Amino acid sequence: MTNEANIRDPLEIAEAWHGQGRAVALATVIETWGSAPRPVGSHLVIDGEGNFEGSVSGGCVEGAVVGEAANVIASGVPRILEFGVADETAWRVGLSCGGRIRVYLERIDG
């Protein structure tokens, strides 16, 4: 069971990490189709070392978002990522019912 009092807002974490001088990217779920583990507006914050907090989906999707965040942090160019799978492979990549999601990934600048 999760103790929600211990869950920190990813936006607060992004602000704190940026304030510490860390390079930071923010991923936001901007659209979903079908069943998706996380709703629109969910966030994942990633730093330049690959540390992350929050969630945009889980499974392989978050691994891919964390991996792409390094490119966005380095270039400063935001990206829209889209993930979608057939029902038979949905669990393996973390989209439990074959849904699709779009994620906006941006570098956080001062």
Side-chain angles (χ1 to χ4, degrees):
M1 177 174 211
T2 302
N3 181 352
E4 294 200 17
N6 292 331
I7 298 173
R8 293 183 54 203
D9 181 346
L11 297 178
E12 292 177 0
I13 294 169
E15 182 178 25
W17 286 0
H18 186 268
Q20 295 167 2
R22 294 159 76 169
V24 177
L26 180 68
T28 304
V29 176
I30 58 172
E31 287 184 275
T32 65
W33 292 271
S35 180
R38 302 289 295 156
V40 169
S42 297
H43 297 289
L44 177 70
V45 59
I46 309 103
D47 75 4
E49 301 296 318
N51 299 300
F52 61 95
E53 293 283 344
S55 178
V56 291
S57 177
C60 296
V61 169
E62 285 185 357
V65 172
V66 169
E68 189 60 37
N71 295 328
V72 169
I73 287 171
S75 70
V77 178
R79 296 205 49 208
I80 293 178
L81 310 173
E82 186 169 328
F83 301 93
V85 295
D87 289 346
E88 60 271 10
T89 57
W91 279 105
R92 187 164 37 95
V93 298
L95 291 171
S96 57
C97 296
R100 291 186 300 150
I101 64 171
R102 291 179 72 194
V103 175
Y104 183 71
L105 182 59
E106 62 187 319
R107 183 173 73 188
I108 303 298
D109 292 317

